[in-house]
Amino acid sequence: MLAVKGEISGQSIKENLGVLIIDDEFDQYLRLSRALERAEFGPVRHAADGLQALVLLQTLPTPPDVVILDLQMPVMDGVEFMQKLEESTLRPSIMIVTKADPALTESVATMVEAMGFPYLGTFQKPCATSAIAETVAHHCEAAAPTTAEAPPHAEIDGDLLYEAIKNASIFPYYQPKIDIQTGQTVGVEALARWRDNSNHTIAPNAFIPMAERKLLINDLTSVILKHVLNDMGIWNKLNLSIPVSINISPTSLNNREFTHSLIKQIERRYIPAELITFEITESALLSNASEALANTNRMRLKNFSFAIDDYGTGFSGLKTLSQFPFTELKIDRSFVAQMQHSDKVMEILQSSIDMGKKLGMTTVAEGVETEAQLKLLADLHCDVAQGDFLSEPMPAHSLISWIIDSKLAW
Ligand code: C2E
Ligand code: CA
Ligand code: CA
């Protein structure tokens, strides 16, 4: 029997964990439901295709926590079932058990995650039902409530954000970028943080969208730049020339006056343009290509560098790459996260790195969380890595001691 650690009020979590198997092969269902029952899971139910499952879901007293889904079924297949389920409020965890080929199942797995369902993995039929039961058990242990979680941050208030930008209480944390071959730090990325009135540090995903909506994003970028220039001034006094990358929002690059003001802000502080890279996401460049091109070219002429950020997640792809004077290609961290689990992702990484190099760009992998990922990226000849495995983002004062500790010289 499988060991289960999690207990809620003395009751096994598994006893309460409802599983719905949607599979037209009755024999497969029987073997699987026996394995789950042997592992003492809660109610295990069955539907022979997507449509039956939808009907069943409407009549069940409590919805299932886990759905084990076949893809090829008569009447309604697994993909159509997922589309219908997406329209409902239910969000069970999804496991796929199928005979479909790996390329298709990988794509379905991506779809499941994009729809916002927790994804438990794929098993190719025929497979050991005990392995499936073990995966489900592992999932319910991981999902079991442990100690009290931090309460979600209160809704960001637009007026507070305005005040924070005005008071410059939004400031950068810095994350080092490491040369994969030499281990040297080749620069840092400035990532916005907001220290609120209760001294909590708020991450940018909680306030950047609001800043965009409230048309405060240019002001936010200026405040970040101001802090960065101050920090660079201090580093300069310590004889440290640390290249800094700054994120620029979609709308900002289309704004001539704003980009002009950025240049002036930097020139006034006598910071060499060669030390500054602006990171832009692909989608940023679509709305007004000629204005964005003109502004980028003007800044490039002044020796500022440009990185295409989150590469691989946007839509403009090769056209944007061929048109804009990028110096750096930052491969999105979702590819790094999947590289060990998918041959297809490895191929995408390899060809993105090769292409970036052929176009004369520095290739940077984001979100490196493990040594194994770093080793694979070295094998692919990626130039630079950034991620929590190397260093998490940190405030300016910690960066200096980090640099001293890692005995790196510029
Ligand atoms: P980004 O530009 O892709 O920045 C990288 C994000 O990945 C950062 O999140 C960083 O903390 C996180 N990260 C780094 N290493 C790892 C890792 O190993 N694993 C994982 N899972 N994540 C890692 P952060 O700081 O929360 O920033 C989120 C996004 O907010 C940034 O994504 C960027 O798009 C935006 N952002 C941050 N600062 C600014 C800013 O000053 N202006 C604008 N417009 N956007 C900003
Ligand atoms: Ca970035
Ligand atoms: Ca990025």
Side-chain angles (χ1 to χ4, degrees):
M1 200 181 79
L2 294 161
V4 169
K5 289 183 221 131
E7 299 270 323
I8 307 173
S9 326
Q11 264 184 311
S12 162
I13 292 159
K14 288 199 296 186
E15 281 168 26
N16 296 317
L17 193 109
V19 182
L20 172 60
I21 303 171
I22 312 176
D23 200 319
D24 59 320
E25 287 176 51
F26 194 67
D27 177 49
Q28 161 80 11
Y29 157 67
L30 272 187
R31 285 190 301 118
L32 185 52
S33 64
R34 277 192 207 118
L36 289 166
E37 275 157 10
R38 267 199 305 278
E40 294 179 345
F41 276 100
V44 179
R45 297 189 168 88
H46 176 236
D49 66 67
L51 193 61
Q52 260 192 27
L54 290 175
V55 174
L56 185 65
L57 285 173
Q58 285 175 356
T59 57
L60 286 178
T62 46
D65 302 282
V66 176
V67 169
I68 300 180
L69 182 67
D70 185 15
L71 294 182
Q72 290 143 318
M73 293 178 290
V75 189
M76 186 186 285
D77 61 56
V79 174
E80 193 182 348
F81 168 76
M82 286 307 304
Q83 286 177 308
K84 301 278 185 218
L85 193 65
E86 188 192 13
E87 289 164 12
S88 77
T89 53
L90 302 178
R91 285 295 176 272
S93 302
I94 306 292
M95 175 184 285
I96 297 166
V97 180
T98 180
K99 285 180 186 146
D101 71 77
L104 175 59
T105 51
E106 259 184 49
S107 172
V108 173
T110 309
M111 177 197 82
V112 166
E113 286 181 315
M115 287 172 166
F117 293 92
Y119 166 64
L120 300 189
T122 294
F123 285 84
Q124 285 286 332
K125 285 184 190 175
C127 51
T129 49
S130 56
I132 297 178
E134 244 171 85
T135 304
V136 177
H138 182 73
H139 163 71
C140 74
E141 280 177 47
T146 49
T147 48
E149 279 177 19
H153 207 280
E155 180 81 346
I156 298 292
D157 179 300
D159 294 339
L160 278 181
L161 180 60
Y162 175 77
E163 284 299 314
I165 292 172
K166 217 172 70 187
N167 304 334
S169 41
I170 294 191
F171 61 96
Y173 266 32
Y174 296 98
Q175 186 173 41
K177 296 161 74 181
I178 312 291
D179 182 310
I180 297 181
Q181 297 303 324
T182 66
Q184 290 269 319
T185 303
V186 289
V188 292
E189 177 174 4
L191 293 158
R193 296 290 182 269
W194 174 2
R195 176 116 351 111
D196 71 5
N197 294 338
S198 2
N199 217 20
H200 289 130
T201 305
I202 308 172
N205 290 338
F207 58 85
I208 298 278
M210 165 72 87
E212 307 254 14
R213 278 200 304 279
K214 297 270 175 189
L215 306 179
L216 294 169
I217 193 68
N218 288 350
D219 298 323
L220 187 144
T221 306
S222 292
V223 166
I224 291 290
L225 182 62
K226 186 174 154 205
H227 282 294
V228 167
L229 295 174
N230 281 344
D231 292 336
M232 290 179 94
I234 296 167
W235 301 338
N236 192 27
K237 289 199 178 90
L238 298 169
N239 273 335
L240 292 169
S241 297
I242 308 174
V244 180
S245 301
I246 294 167
N247 291 284
I248 292 253
S249 251
T251 48
S252 307
L253 206 73
N254 291 324
N255 184 329
R256 197 176 309 180
E257 289 72 35
F258 178 65
T259 49
H260 188 69
S261 77
L262 286 184
I263 298 171
K264 286 276 156 261
Q265 213 180 327
I266 297 164
E267 285 176 346
R268 269 202 304 274
R269 300 295 299 265
Y270 301 106
I271 299 291
E274 290 80 2
L275 288 182
I276 302 217
T277 299
F278 293 104
E279 297 195 356
I280 341 164
T281 53
E282 290 173 79
S283 58
L285 305 167
L286 286 173
S287 56
N288 187 354
S290 66
E291 186 64 32
L293 265 174
N295 294 331
T296 319
N297 287 334
R298 200 154 45 102
M299 292 167 91
R300 230 359 243 137
L301 279 174
K302 290 188 175 289
N303 285 330
F304 293 103
S305 298
F306 281 89
I308 185 156
D309 204 0
D310 304 342
Y311 181 72
T313 59
F315 300 101
S316 49
L318 300 177
K319 187 158 177 254
T320 312
L321 274 182
S322 66
Q323 287 177 333
F324 280 81
F326 290 114
T327 44
E328 189 175 304
L329 183 82
K330 291 197 86 173
I331 299 165
D332 190 66
R333 61 178 182 272
S334 58
F335 294 101
V336 176
Q338 291 169 33
M339 66 191 298
Q340 283 158 285
H341 313 294
S342 163
D343 293 343
K344 212 154 105 183
V345 168
M346 276 298 271
E347 291 295 337
I348 293 171
L349 269 171
Q350 178 72 81
S351 54
S352 303
I353 291 165
D354 290 349
M355 182 197 59
K357 280 172 177 288
K358 282 192 184 127
L359 294 175
M361 292 188 274
T362 304
T363 50
V364 182
E366 297 187 310
V368 178
E369 290 180 344
T370 65
E371 190 174 6
Q373 289 169 344
L374 190 64
K375 283 203 173 116
L376 281 173
L377 288 163
D379 292 343
L380 296 178
H381 301 289
C382 182
D383 299 313
V384 173
Q386 184 183 337
D388 293 348
F389 175 66
L390 299 155
S391 169
E392 287 183 19
M394 60 190 125
H397 58 89
S398 310
L399 180 68
I400 296 304
S401 40
W402 190 85
I403 287 169
I404 292 166
D405 285 351
S406 53
K407 296 191 182 62
L408 298 171
W410 271 272

